[in-house]
Amino acid sequence: MENSSLGLTVCAERVAIFNAVSNGERKIKTIVLTSNLDKPIYPPCGACLQVMSEFGVEEVIIVHGDKVIRHNIGELFPRPFTDWRKQDS
Ligand SMILES: [Zn+2]
């Protein structure tokens, strides 16, 4: 969801996750990104990867034309933020 103020923009990945969560899902295993445009599809941004990590996403699959690229979430986002209140001291 693009907006003229980039700070108000929300990526399609987060829109999809928030929609799933608002419809009762609590764990999302896989995210598939695809487009019918000729432009390449880039891996998700850090904000989306953080949200994905918090909802248990394990794999991000990018489909573009005949190409299917699979990424483990740990490969794309090896050190997600964690809630400091949940960390062991
Ligand atoms: Zn994003």
Side-chain angles (χ1 to χ4, degrees), residues 8-62:
L8 299 177
T9 297
V10 178
C11 302
E13 296 93 323
R14 276 179 283 157
V15 170
I17 291 170
F18 296 154
N19 184 50
V21 171
S22 70
N23 282 290
E25 299 295 334
R26 291 297 178 264
K27 180 159 174 57
I28 300 162
K29 185 175 179 182
T30 303
I31 296 286
V32 179
L33 306 176
T34 187
S35 171
N36 59 1
L37 300 177
D38 288 336
K39 299 179 189 176
I41 301 173
Y42 295 102
C45 73
C48 289
L49 289 167
Q50 175 66 30
V51 170
M52 289 179 193
S53 73
E54 293 188 24
F55 285 100
V57 171
E58 298 171 3
E59 185 177 36
V60 177
I61 302 173
I62 297 175

